[in-house]
Amino acid sequence: MSATVVATAFGGPEVLAVRDLDVTDPGQGEVVVDFHAVGVNPVEYKTYSGAMGSDESTLPMRLGNEGAGVIVAVGPDTTGPAGPLAVGDEVVVFRGVGTYSARSVQPASAVVPKPSALSWEVAAGMLLTATTAHDGLEVVGITADDTLLVHGASGAVGLAVVQLARLAGARVIGTAREENHGFLREIGAEPVAYGDGLLDRVRELAPDGVTVAYDAVGTDEAVDVSLALVEDRTRIVTIAAFGRAESDGFRSIGGGDPESSRRRDAARTDLLALAADGRLRTPIARTFALSDVTTAHTELQRSHPIGKFVLLP
């Protein structure tokens, strides 16, 4: 048996409960992982809120797709993307299933080695956001010659976008609330407040123009400012404004696109290596016991410090 978070209905965080569930033996292509830390992401709230469908046959619904822990069982003839897997391996799970758990069966395809230099919390919480950032920057072809505008630069995805673009040599301007400007400067971005007058403020910062835009918020302001500044619409990408991307002719990523998934999976070990070397930072805003998952999800929807929320089973 393993303590596992499930959504018992569609609704707000109050529908979350911790249940003791059986853990089956792993089959071919599967491993069992004891989780030391589990990443919390807004997509989980969207899933059980009903925003992405409300088929009651999916209830009770297990949550989570990333975490970090130790393999305690390996199915027959099972290897992972980075090679053979063994009991005792410290691993990171990304694109897993039901990771809000103390112990659960995971597909070996979702399991990669955890660098020893990374804490459990950082390893558990970085890959969803870092691979999303990498995916978008690959789509727009970021280079050292670019000036990039990041909308939502102080969010979890935005922070990764800023750092990866700076590693590529690009100049980065990032929108954020004023209280987060100091951290953005620390990681190499030039911060700018969003809201009325954003277009003029960015033009003042970048009189020679903006060549690329990454929208991590999905607002009309973010889209309209990007369209006004970036001449080539194939160099605008969003992870949220899918309708506007289709109607206005710019790029979007995610949403189950197989090429997007391929790019993200291929980047996992490289991004973990960057984090282990200290070149890609994932701040941890707060940690919560697994039993406090309702509080974690309630706080996630409010204004909170920069960084990821992590559950500790």
Side-chain angles (χ1 to χ4, degrees), residues 28-43:
Q28 185 173 1
E30 294 180 330
V31 298
V32 178
V33 176
D34 268 0
F35 283 101
H36 289 218
V38 176
V40 178
N41 296 289
V43 68

Side-chain angles (χ1 to χ4, degrees), residues 9-11 46-59 61:
F10 291 101
K46 293 177 183 177
T47 301
Y48 69 77
S49 71
M52 300 170 70
S54 54
D55 180 358
E56 294 198 354
S57 69
T58 62
L59 299 173
M61 179 190 300

Side-chain angles (χ1 to χ4, degrees), residues 12 37 56 90 100 129 162 210 229 237 243 281 287-288 297 300 307:
E56 294 198 354
E90 295 186 352
Y100 280 26
T129 52
V162 168
V210 170
L229 290 170
V237 65
R281 296 167 58 184
T287 61
F288 300 81
H297 273 255
L300 186 66

Side-chain angles (χ1 to χ4, degrees), residues 205-236:
L205 269 176
D208 294 330
V210 170
T211 55
V212 188
Y214 193 122
D215 167 36
V217 292
T219 61
D220 284 335
E221 174 189 69
V223 172
D224 292 341
V225 168
S226 298
L227 291 171
L229 290 170
V230 180
E231 183 176 346
D232 182 353
R233 294 193 178 190
T234 68
R235 306 205 73 204
I236 301 171

Side-chain angles (χ1 to χ4, degrees), residues 249-265:
F250 58 94
R251 311 291 290 274
S252 65
I253 57 169
D257 173 59
E259 281 302 301
S260 186
S261 298
R262 180 196 60 77
R263 287 189 295 267
R264 297 181 194 205
D265 285 349

